[in-house]
Amino acid sequence: MVQLSNLLPTAAILLSSPSSLGFQNLLPKLSSILPTPQQPRASAILLEDQLISAIAANGSDKRLDNSDEISSLVSQLEASQFSIPRPAVAPEVYGRWRLLQTTNADTASPIQRKAVDTTKFDIFQDIVFSPDDAERLLVRQIVKFSDTNELCVDALASTSAYPLEELTDREADGKILGLNVLGVSFVGEAAAEDPNRPDSRIRFVFDEGKFNFGKFSIPYPVPFRSPLFRDAVKGWIDITYLSDRMRIAKGKRAQHSY
């Protein structure tokens, strides 16, 4: 599961937070429309454990660096038949995910790379529903500075289960006067969904953000709702592997997050 237009880099390895399990029990029952996966779960757990161990061995200060072993294990999980099908609408995707590792790419801005690589702070991504509208899906990016201090940026999200009309395809790559200031994105054919992975994409558009310091907040200084920036703050998450405890995803800049 972070960027100004996408707080996390565009791809990541993430672990489900324990609080997510209780949250998933409150979700609409989608199991009736999803095929039941017949997975050799023990083999999947073995690969996941090996990946977690490889990330730990890589060093806690290298969240943006990936060894050959990490890349190989990610590729094995992505190519396996162990993933939950239609992951973007599967009940297991909802809840809180903690960022473990992410690839780095030239498309991420220097600010974005620094934010993600600051391993002093935990980074989370919540896939939840708006407290004001049970049908409005949100992707929430959170950087925890302490138990009471955090940066929280909310994005309106869209899937086939919870479509959002506003989320049309992004038109521009995000460069400003040819410079990579806020990070850039694939567009057009390069941004097309993988037809072999149905219901794997969560589209989003950033909507608002704030710094929370205990009982008071400060608005995040980016005008997400301005028509001038609205296209630039669109993005997506392509989930390439999902289990009840691990999510591997690629985003609009083709980086991996775990």
Side-chain angles (χ1 to χ4, degrees):
M1 254 161 189
V2 227
Q3 312 154 348
L4 288 183
S5 58
N6 181 356
L7 186 59
L8 293 170
T10 50
I13 298 173
L14 306 99
L15 280 186
S16 180
S17 174
S19 61
S20 299
L21 300 179
F23 177 85
Q24 290 161 8
N25 294 331
L26 301 177
L27 293 172
K29 298 298 183 181
L30 298 178
S31 57
S32 61
I33 65 171
L34 297 175
T36 302
Q38 301 298 322
Q39 305 169 352
R41 185 62 186 134
S43 298
I45 290 175
L46 178 61
L47 281 175
E48 290 176 7
D49 285 345
Q50 290 175 342
L51 177 55
I52 293 170
S53 296
I55 291 172
N58 199 43
S60 60
D61 59 339
K62 297 180 179 180
R63 190 153 54 191
L64 287 174
D65 296 334
N66 288 294
S67 66
D68 291 340
E69 182 181 9
I70 291 174
S71 298
S72 175
L73 289 165
V74 167
S75 296
Q76 289 180 61
L77 284 168
E78 290 180 322
S80 74
Q81 301 300 311
F82 304 150
S83 178
I84 293 170
R86 300 177 64 191
V89 296
E92 290 84 357
V93 78
Y94 302 99
R96 168 160 290 191
W97 296 87
R98 179 171 60 88
L99 179 69
L100 290 184
Q101 190 87 358
T102 183
T103 59
N104 189 15
D106 292 337
T107 50
S109 75
I111 295 174
Q112 294 155 3
R113 290 195 297 268
K114 184 62 177 177
V116 177
D117 203 27
T118 303
T119 51
K120 295 178 182 178
F121 308 131
D122 284 333
I123 297 176
F124 299 95
Q125 186 176 79
D126 294 350
I127 301 177
V128 295
F129 295 91
S130 169
D132 302 320
D133 185 349
E135 294 296 313
R136 177 176 292 179
L137 186 64
L138 301 176
V139 173
R140 177 173 292 148
Q141 315 281 21
I142 299 172
V143 180
K144 296 286 289 186
F145 307 120
S146 69
D147 290 341
T148 57
N149 302 328
E150 65 182 20
L151 167 63
C152 179
V153 182
D154 282 357
L156 306 179
S158 180
T159 64
S160 63
Y162 298 94
L164 183 64
E165 185 176 351
E166 176 187 356
L167 276 171
T168 56
D169 288 339
R170 182 167 171 161
E171 298 178 0
D173 65 7
K175 288 185 178 180
I176 300 174
L177 299 177
L179 300 176
N180 177 11
V181 178
L182 301 181
V184 297
S185 172
F186 290 136
V187 293
E189 292 185 5
E193 295 183 59
D194 185 348
N196 297 315
R197 296 180 182 272
D199 279 325
S200 293
R201 177 167 290 188
I202 301 176
R203 299 175 183 270
F204 61 83
V205 57
F206 281 97
D207 194 57
E208 63 179 340
K210 57 186 176 180
F211 291 93
N212 295 318
F213 300 105
K215 295 182 179 181
F216 69 94
S217 300
I218 299 174
Y220 189 61
V222 176
F224 292 125
R225 296 176 183 174
S226 168
L228 295 175
F229 292 95
R230 202 60 173 168
D231 184 68
V233 297
K234 290 179 181 177
W236 66 84
I237 303 164
D238 283 340
I239 301 170
T240 56
Y241 177 82
L242 178 69
S243 71
D244 57 0
R245 69 168 182 165
M246 179 175 287
R247 173 162 62 95
I248 300 174
K250 295 180 181 179
K252 61 184 180 180
R253 302 182 183 94
Q255 295 163 281
H256 267 94
S257 297
Y258 336 110

